[in-house]
Amino acid sequence: MKITVDGREVSVPGGQLLIKAAEENGTYIPRFCWHPRMKPVGMCRMCLVEIEGPRGRLLTTSCTTSVTDGMVVHTRSDVVKKAQEGVLEFLLVNHPLDCPVCDKGGECPLQDQTLAHGPGESRFVEEKRHFEKPIPISDLVLLDRERCILCARCTRFSDEISGDPLIEFIDRGNYTQINTFPDEPFSSYFSGNTVQLCPVGALTATPYRFRARPWDLEAVESTCPHCSVGCRVSVHASQNRVLRLVGVDVAATNQGWLCDKGRFGFEYLRSPDRLSTPLLRGDDGELHEVGWAEALDAVAARLGAVIAQRGPGAVAGLGGARSTNEEAYAFAKLLRGVIGTGNLDASLGDDPGPGLLVGVPTRATIDDLERAKTILVWGPDLKEELPVLHLRVRRAATALGATVVVVHPRATGLDRDAAHTVRYRPGEGAALLKRLAAGEGELAQVREALSAGPVVAIVGRTGLAESADLAEAVAGFALTLPDAKVMPVGRRGNLLGALDMGMSPHLLPGRVSADDENARDALATAWGAGVAAPGHDVAGILTGMADGSIGALLLLGCDPLADHPDRKNAAAAFARGVFIVSLDIFRNESNRRADVVLPLDTFTEVEGTVTNLEGRAQKTNRIVPGVGASRPAVEVLEDLAVRLGGSIGGSASTLAKEIAAVAPAYAAVTWDVLDWGVGRDGIVAAGGSFTHAPMAAAKDTAAGDLTLHLGRVLYDAGTMVSAGPSLVGLAQEPAAHLHPDDAARLGFASGDRVTVTGNGGSAVMPVALDRTLARGTLYVPFNLGATIGNGLDVKVTKA
Amino acid sequence: MTDRILTTRMEAHPADSHTMSRYEATGGYTALRKALGMKPEEIVAEVKASNLRGRGGAGFPTGVKWGFLAPARPRYLVINADESEPGTFKDRQLLERDPHQMIEGAIISAFALAVNHAFVFIRGEYSRSARRVQQAVDEAYAVGYLGRDILGSGFALDVTVHLGAGAYICGEETAMLNALEGKRGEPRIKPPFPAVAGLYAKPTIVNNVETISNIPWIITNGGAAYDAIGPEGSRGTRLLSLSGHVVKPGNYEIVMGMSWRDLIYGVGGGIRSGKGLKCWIPGGASAPWFTPEVLDEPVTLDDIARLGSMAGSGAVVVMDETTNVVAAALSIVRFFAHESCGQCTPCREGTTWLQRILERVLAGRGRPADLDLLLDVCDNISPGLRWPPAMTTICPLGPSAVSPITSIMQHFRDEVAAMIPGGVTAGV
């Protein structure tokens, strides 16, 4: 339809909000409370405009008015200008003159709009209202109620978007204030978003408070590395230090939001514990700092010896899921091409499996959630593992009318907005799937809900004690549903990217099967070197290390000893005297046993691409240097390759071009298109001949009295959390969660200290009662320091 | 000529007019029996024909409002008993002394509007009213005037009595709906209007206690009979709450059309202690003030509007020559500042700012610039200082605070200026 704004006729979509229609056509109407991603409330009154009507001009808020055909709008009339001056003068009546000490100064909508639309002075000579300031409302967020202009952006975000309505208005009129409920701090995983969208300095973030002025900051867009959602961030740095991350609105992925782990989880970059010098284990058995040349020579010598004596098949490589695509590609090329081994894996055995992740037929995008009638979530608790994906599913359920079905051993963050929740205990998933597929008994309604297409199924492992086979079977079932698309999910940031780069025994770069001899030959031609046939995956590699058939292990940014769910297998592997080289950024359990440790540049220090769980390739960019003598992985791997008599080919940017040439699924992915072209929102990799038909049959393993649900939590003992002062305190102590009936049956009360014994060890922890847990299940969060292995059978005894 | 509709029973039987036994003994619930034999459209037509205008303050024609109700189900009826406009105490009398009249009106209205659940929202401070209304509701259930299959008609109605928690703003219909839903009592953006999307987003009619209390008489005697009472535009009778410096303050049921002189000096007995009349508020704290020049103008809705004010909630507050107009204005502005819900900037900040300026002036610390400042702050809440007021705000509470200030500046500017130390020269 056509509307006239300040005398200019423009074409706008019917039903659009006037404030948005005007902005998209070049007329910016000032505002505070309106946010493009939330419902309008018309509270601040800054967006007042005059609209012509039968009874003259009506002064009304443009954020609550939808355009109608022929609407005539005045945004700069004398009445509007006086109203704008009036609103700003009113806002400044009680707003404290804090600019010199306020974080928001320099990027403050109140400052900006006062300069543009406000009166030159305030005529208020009375006493402003006062509050104690600031007050912490959580560990990460501080509230200054004097600065607050009561726009309700933070409360609306917490209610509408994150579903954590832990902040609310109390009192009335001039004494209205934002506050938390008694004894309930604002501990939402998404609290940092309110700091970003607060239009004044009322909400400030503890990690950033008083650190910088916006005009001192340099910025570059990048992709958050913490999980596989791949949220778009802007990295802000000053004097070679990253000071904060802010969310960037990409419609296809995070829509501007970040979780707090992603937002505040950058402090590890400058942790004093970061590796900054190569380490070489000496004859005294200790790791000593050495120069790069000495370290690389040592690696090449020992590797060369293993290859010469026992063949390339005695070498293995693990990692890449925390690296860029170019780094993973370089690693895969070093292993398969230069060294000639097919023993390589980016998976650490804690995901649904490379076949399903890389080759699922009809993969869903995050945007498909917007169009889905039904969404099935049978996998991890998205709120804990993939928080912004949780927000997108929540949006589909609450704003777009999708029916959500959640299947999980205990309550997840989505339960409240789900139409159906199904409980089962780990180890009995196959039987449940069978009953669900048949719509048996109480599952009839759920089955019926699932037959309303289009269906999007988010499929993964609910916990690490559960087999990947179940996720396969669920995916297979989901694909039979009407108009169904499947999103298999693994957690690590670039797991799919690394697999796509060929960091898997049966995969070549670009989603091509490594079992295809012709494909290997074609790649060999491109590489100018042989391409090894498939070897062992991570399970086979660990077994090979334990039984002696693997003599050398290269680790690229991974810690199998801590992260592989099968602790026994991993421990046995590392107990042997295998030659271990670790390229990483921190000391960890695995590289404490390494012979050589090489310090790497990481997130914000290297440029490259990463691939999220949709297969969307996005840029990750460099803005600060590494620490000490750390170097980019691609350079280190090239130096190694050269010493071994081969070559990987060049810098990351050169490799990016090579990837586009040899990896079919990545043919359209170039840095230019991602940075400057139509790929600004990322490019979804598509193509490649590899497909994977999900295995239909999963088997339930015999289960005892209690089976183990080994789910993850957002704040755990992972290095990127524990090396950051702002987040380290948020990881909780592990507890043994039991349903009250099971606890009563076993004679435990809440708080009793118990010993939990699994197949990989035992640990002492307190009992916690969880009414939402499936009966016969013990829930112990993974990676909180209680290492009990990942076997389904567990025993709990009084400590 | 009928001159009493609403207060007949309570005048004749002051001891027990609120009880079911007295109500039924004096013709109560016969209108309901008649209504249940009519078609719902017929009832609506009678109300339209009566030209009954809402008695809560806006004076909107009730039958027209009922006609806006959207077809979706379920529908709700909410009776606004949050009487909080300063100077208004008429609904209290109806609630305490003749609750069955209102309830019968509610049942008839619900039947006409296909409503099966009605709410009575009573301000929390009206504890006796709440007790009497709940008692009357309980009596009605016991006899069968409420609940399933009322009088064998097949019509079912439940009535819930809900108490407010101390906020004037909950008298604003959409704030009331939010409060009923358990949310903060804050007005909603309109459109959508309650008749389309109201309580729980369903079609809802909100009517004042007095409005609904007229319905039984209209059904019994017909809409035309109601339309025959009083002047055009102000049909029927009206309860006025007369207070202030009059000899006989109180609630009076009158037929409109008399002059202000007749009301103040006749009905009200004149100014106490033989003082002179200075000014009066014609319709509640939100209304601009009148001065003695208009004493001989008629008391009707349309004439009051013509003269730049409103009949509003029917509260007439009379001020004599001893009144300090700044103190009087401050009293009202302080009320609105206290009751502002806080959602929108101009009202939240502006009403308290106006209060602070008036406090300073009253305390002798005013400045010459404060006179124009008062009016300009008012202009930023209600642009043009027009009547009816324009608003930069979400609801009319902000502009309500403006009325007393424009009134004293328009009629008593010299008096205000005299409170400024050093005086105010013309043009400053």
Side-chain angles (χ1 to χ4, degrees):
Chain A
M1 40 181 74
K2 293 223 189 306
I3 65 171
T4 305
V5 180
D6 298 331
R8 199 165 49 98
E9 199 183 47
V10 292
S11 243
V12 297
Q16 195 178 43
L17 289 176
L18 176 57
I19 193 172
K20 192 160 199 256
E23 186 171 348
E24 287 179 357
N25 284 282
T27 299
Y28 182 85
I29 298 172
R31 81 294 294 257
F32 294 105
C33 66
W34 184 66
H35 188 284
R37 291 283 178 198
M38 299 194 289
K39 293 203 268 280
V41 286
M43 282 167 65
C44 71
R45 314 309 283 178
M46 193 63 206
C47 71
L48 288 168
V49 294
E50 284 192 294
I51 301 179
E52 287 186 17
R55 276 172 280 182
R57 293 192 183 186
L58 174 67
L59 187 65
T60 190
T61 44
S62 50
C63 71
T64 56
T65 306
S66 297
V67 297
T68 54
D69 208 14
M71 186 180 263
V72 180
V73 184
H74 303 275
T75 75
R76 296 189 224 275
S77 65
D78 288 340
V79 170
V80 169
K81 284 191 191 157
K82 180 149 203 298
Q84 289 169 344
E85 280 194 20
V87 169
L88 283 163
E89 187 180 28
F90 283 135
L91 284 174
L92 294 170
V93 156
N94 279 308
H95 191 81
L97 264 176
D98 276 2
C99 296
V101 297
C102 174
D103 278 356
K104 206 78 179 179
E107 55 183 15
C108 174
L110 182 59
Q111 280 182 339
D112 294 345
Q113 287 176 66
T114 301
L115 274 168
H117 304 285
E121 287 183 15
S122 168
R123 298 168 292 181
F124 186 78
V125 297
E126 329 296 334
E127 178 78 22
K128 293 176 188 270
R129 60 143 168 64
H130 293 296
F131 289 106
E132 183 193 339
K133 58 185 265 175
I135 54 170
I137 53 175
S138 76
D139 289 307
L140 294 168
V141 179
L142 293 152
L143 168 66
D144 187 322
R145 292 162 292 176
E146 290 187 352
R147 295 178 187 171
C148 175
I149 58 168
L150 301 152
C151 69
R153 275 184 165 201
C154 58
T155 52
R156 284 147 58 208
F157 170 82
S158 300
D159 186 39
E160 260 177 72
I161 309 285
S162 72
D164 295 330
L166 298 165
I167 47 175
E168 184 51 271
F169 287 119
I170 64 172
D171 294 342
R172 178 177 81 204
N174 213 236
Y175 300 96
T176 312
Q177 51 169 295
I178 294 281
N179 218 316
T180 52
F181 296 90
D183 300 326
E184 282 224 49
F186 184 33
S187 36
S188 160
Y189 284 164
F190 306 101
S191 65
N193 292 294
T194 62
V195 173
Q196 184 173 339
L197 52 68
C198 176
V200 294
L203 290 167
T204 49
T206 322
Y208 179 69
R209 206 167 147 80
F210 299 141
R211 287 287 156 91
R213 282 302 189 187
W215 54 82
D216 287 332
L217 296 172
E218 292 177 315
V220 80
E221 272 192 17
S222 193
T223 305
C224 176
H226 281 275
C227 81
S228 58
V229 175
C231 298
R232 184 70 55 92
V233 295
S234 183
V235 182
H236 292 183
S238 176
Q239 299 180 41
N240 291 335
R241 293 181 78 97
V242 173
L243 292 179
R244 71 171 175 185
L245 264 50
V246 299
V248 174
D249 195 321
V250 169
T253 53
N254 64 321
Q255 302 192 330
W257 316 124
L258 298 178
C259 75
D260 286 357
K261 180 170 166 183
R263 181 185 297 275
F264 300 120
F266 62 85
E267 294 170 324
Y268 70 91
L269 293 170
R270 278 280 180 266
S271 162
D273 294 333
R274 248 194 87 181
L275 294 168
S276 60
T277 325
L279 301 170
L280 179 61
R281 200 174 293 280
D283 297 326
D284 62 352
E286 298 298 320
L287 283 169
H288 297 279
E289 295 184 349
V290 294
W292 274 101
E294 190 182 340
L296 289 170
D297 287 344
V299 173
R302 284 289 297 273
L303 263 186
V306 169
I307 296 169
Q309 288 158 20
R310 304 163 57 178
V315 180
L318 289 174
R322 291 209 180 284
S323 309
T324 64
N325 292 337
E326 293 77 7
E327 292 168 341
Y329 177 81
F331 195 39
K333 191 171 179 185
L334 174 74
L335 291 162
R336 257 210 165 94
V338 175
I339 295 175
T341 173
N343 304 324
L344 69 174
D345 209 344
S347 161
L348 282 186
D350 53 1
D351 53 71
L356 188 63
L357 285 169
V358 175
V360 65
T362 51
R363 185 192 306 272
T365 61
I366 297 176
D367 253 0
D368 285 328
L369 294 169
E370 306 261 308
R371 290 175 284 278
K373 189 120 199 296
T374 314
I375 301 171
L376 168 65
V377 183
W378 189 329
D381 183 346
L382 297 182
K383 197 175 187 187
E384 301 284 348
E385 297 208 14
L386 301 161
V388 175
L389 182 62
H390 161 86
L391 290 183
R392 292 297 303 262
V393 177
R394 180 167 196 275
R395 173 180 147 76
T398 59
L400 302 172
T403 302
V404 173
V405 176
V406 180
V407 183
H408 201 79
R410 66 189 290 260
T412 70
L414 273 174
D415 279 26
R416 200 166 18 122
D417 303 302
H420 304 277
T421 57
V422 181
R423 293 270 174 277
Y424 72 103
R425 64 181 202 141
E428 295 178 356
L432 173 71
L433 177 61
K434 213 157 148 239
R435 292 183 58 234
L436 174 62
E440 275 176 32
E442 79 284 5
L443 295 170
Q445 263 199 322
V446 182
R447 180 62 185 89
E448 201 183 315
L450 290 173
S451 38
V455 175
V456 170
I458 299 176
V459 176
R461 291 166 71 173
T462 63
L464 298 173
E466 202 169 64
S467 146
D469 290 351
L470 179 61
E472 286 253 338
V474 173
F477 161 66
L479 285 166
T480 68
L481 298 170
D483 205 357
K485 295 193 181 157
V486 174
M487 182 186 289
V489 295
R491 197 187 58 117
R492 269 188 203 90
N494 200 29
L495 175 61
L496 183 52
L499 295 173
D500 279 349
M501 293 297 107
M503 275 302 301
S504 191
H506 296 280
L507 290 170
L508 297 180
R511 302 187 186 164
V512 176
S513 171
D515 294 279
D516 179 347
E517 222 180 294
N518 293 330
R520 292 205 306 274
D521 288 343
L523 187 60
T525 308
W527 279 0
V531 170
H536 293 297
D537 66 5
V538 58
I541 291 169
L542 291 176
T543 308
M545 286 168 69
D547 69 26
S549 50
I550 301 277
L553 175 69
L554 301 174
L555 295 169
L556 177 62
C558 77
D559 184 3
L561 248 191
D563 293 338
H564 196 279
D566 189 342
R567 296 269 319 172
K568 252 175 81 177
N569 211 7
F574 278 76
R576 270 282 204 134
V578 173
F579 176 64
I580 298 174
V581 182
S582 163
L583 291 78
D584 217 314
I585 60 174
F586 281 102
R587 297 212 195 201
N588 53 45
E589 278 195 57
S590 301
N591 68 21
R592 262 179 247 283
R593 324 284 174 94
D595 297 283
V596 189
V597 182
L598 303 172
L600 292 183
D601 289 350
T602 183
F603 171 63
T604 69
E605 301 159 358
V606 294
E607 184 177 1
T609 54
V610 289
T611 304
N612 79 349
L613 43 64
E614 304 169 280
R616 180 183 305 272
Q618 300 181 93
K619 278 304 287 304
T620 182
N621 286 310
R622 178 178 198 273
I623 193 171
V624 290
V627 290
S630 70
R631 297 176 67 204
V634 168
E635 285 181 21
V636 174
L637 294 169
E638 171 68 2
D639 280 359
L640 215 44
V642 164
R643 280 170 169 77
L644 292 171
S647 169
I648 295 173
S651 64
S653 60
T654 310
L655 290 181
K657 296 193 179 90
E658 185 178 311
I659 291 168
V662 311
Y666 282 67
V669 179
T670 69
W671 287 11
D672 257 358
V673 174
L674 288 172
D675 285 334
W676 306 111
V678 298
R680 290 269 299 122
D681 284 0
I683 299 169
V684 178
S689 52
F690 178 83
T691 54
H692 176 87
M695 292 170 352
K699 272 203 273 289
D700 282 332
T701 43
D705 185 44
L706 284 177
T707 59
L708 177 62
H709 172 53
L710 196 58
R712 282 192 202 272
V713 288
L714 188 65
Y715 297 124
D716 56 15
T719 38
M720 281 150 76
V721 170
S722 56
S726 297
L727 296 182
V728 64
L730 300 178
Q732 307 207 311
E733 293 299 314
H737 297 72
L738 287 165
H739 189 280
D741 291 353
D742 287 321
R745 184 169 51 82
L746 295 166
F748 299 131
S750 172
D752 282 355
R753 292 196 74 73
V754 291
T755 304
V756 178
T757 307
N759 74 345
S762 57
V764 177
M765 63 190 80
V767 168
L769 298 182
D770 183 352
R771 197 160 284 287
T772 73
L773 204 46
R775 302 282 200 293
T777 311
L778 172 76
Y779 165 52
V780 177
F782 182 67
N783 203 9
L784 282 183
T787 47
I788 56 175
N790 74 326
L792 271 175
D793 281 313
V794 277
K795 300 255 176 304
V796 185
T797 52
K798 264 232 162 55
Chain B
M1 173 66 80
T2 314
D3 61 355
R4 265 189 206 281
I5 292 175
L6 300 165
T7 58
T8 318
R9 184 174 295 100
M10 63 180 76
E11 284 298 304
H13 306 279
D16 61 359
S17 57
H18 59 284
T19 62
M20 171 68 86
S21 50
R22 180 62 70 191
Y23 193 70
E24 283 185 313
T26 49
Y29 289 109
T30 48
L32 174 60
R33 287 174 165 83
K34 181 176 177 189
L36 289 174
M38 296 163 71
K39 292 209 195 72
E41 316 85 80
E42 290 171 339
I43 299 173
V44 178
E46 289 297 332
V47 174
K48 277 199 169 119
S50 73
N51 279 313
L52 169 69
R53 291 173 71 165
R55 298 287 190 245
F60 195 84
T62 307
V64 177
K65 186 193 255 189
W66 285 11
F68 290 153
L69 201 57
R73 301 289 196 272
R75 297 158 141 194
Y76 297 104
L77 172 66
V78 176
I79 298 173
N80 189 335
D82 189 56
E83 179 169 72
S84 303
E85 188 79 26
T88 321
F89 39 93
K90 62 171 176 81
D91 291 340
R92 177 179 171 182
Q93 183 157 344
L94 292 171
L95 294 166
E96 288 183 5
R97 308 278 300 275
D98 208 340
H100 280 287
Q101 181 173 244
M102 178 192 74
I103 288 168
E104 186 178 9
I107 304 171
I108 296 169
S109 307
F111 176 68
L113 299 172
V115 165
N116 300 111
H117 198 158
F119 296 80
V120 185
F121 187 108
I122 308 179
R123 65 177 291 177
E125 297 90 334
Y126 274 5
S127 44
R128 181 190 284 158
S129 301
R131 275 201 310 278
R132 293 262 171 105
V133 170
Q134 185 63 61
Q135 190 185 329
V137 165
D138 293 342
E139 287 176 320
Y141 268 107
V143 174
Y145 295 130
L146 286 174
R148 316 273 134 254
D149 197 20
I150 295 171
L151 298 177
S153 66
F155 174 63
L157 177 65
D158 279 318
V159 171
T160 300
V161 177
H162 179 91
L163 296 191
Y168 159 87
I169 191 60
C170 287
E172 198 279 334
E173 61 177 358
T174 59
M176 178 169 288
L177 299 177
N178 272 341
L180 280 170
E181 291 181 17
K183 301 174 182 153
R184 284 171 62 86
E186 293 171 338
R188 300 173 178 173
I189 301 285
K190 296 191 275 202
F193 290 87
V196 172
L199 188 62
Y200 310 120
K202 298 295 183 206
T204 305
I205 290 290
V206 182
N207 275 140
N208 171 263
V209 169
E210 186 186 342
T211 312
I212 291 291
S213 296
N214 277 298
I215 300 297
W217 193 99
I218 291 175
I219 295 304
T220 300
N221 300 280
Y226 194 86
D227 195 41
I229 304 169
E232 190 178 345
S234 300
R235 301 300 197 200
T237 63
R238 181 117 201 194
L239 279 185
L240 292 188
S241 298
L242 186 58
S243 67
H245 296 151
V246 288
V247 174
K248 294 193 290 177
N251 283 324
Y252 295 96
E253 183 172 9
I254 61 160
V255 174
M256 302 197 93
M258 66 177 71
S259 68
W260 287 104
R261 191 182 301 279
D262 287 340
L263 178 68
I264 294 173
Y265 291 96
V267 175
I271 311 299
R272 50 149 211 212
S273 309
K275 294 271 190 278
L277 173 66
K278 187 161 189 175
C279 60
W280 70 96
I281 311 178
S286 316
W289 302 0
F290 280 170
T291 48
E293 297 90 69
V294 306
L295 264 176
D296 292 303
E297 294 281 355
V299 183
T300 71
L301 273 68
D302 296 333
D303 286 296
I304 296 170
R306 174 177 54 80
L307 293 168
S309 188
M310 63 190 225
S313 56
V316 181
V317 182
V318 176
M319 292 177 261
D320 71 17
E321 66 195 68
T322 66
T323 305
N324 178 330
V325 293
V326 173
L330 171 61
S331 168
I332 295 171
V333 169
R334 181 181 283 141
F335 171 79
F336 286 116
H338 182 72
E339 297 293 337
S340 168
C341 79
Q343 269 193 109
C344 72
T345 309
C347 174
R348 176 182 72 239
E349 307 292 345
T351 53
T352 302
W353 190 1
L354 291 171
Q355 176 190 339
R356 296 272 178 262
I357 299 171
L358 288 173
E359 281 170 346
R360 260 195 308 108
V361 171
L362 193 60
R365 293 195 316 273
R367 313 163 303 163
D370 285 333
L371 297 190
D372 289 336
L373 177 61
L374 278 170
L375 286 173
D376 198 53
V377 172
C378 288
D379 187 75
N380 283 334
I381 298 170
S382 178
L385 301 178
R386 297 193 286 276
W387 191 263
M391 15 188 240
T392 58
T393 52
I394 294 175
C395 85
L397 190 151
S400 293
V402 166
S403 293
I405 296 176
T406 52
S407 297
I408 64 174
M409 295 305 285
Q410 182 185 341
H411 299 295
F412 305 106
R413 189 185 171 102
D414 292 340
E415 242 182 88
V416 182
M419 302 193 74
I420 310 290
V424 178
T425 52
V428 171

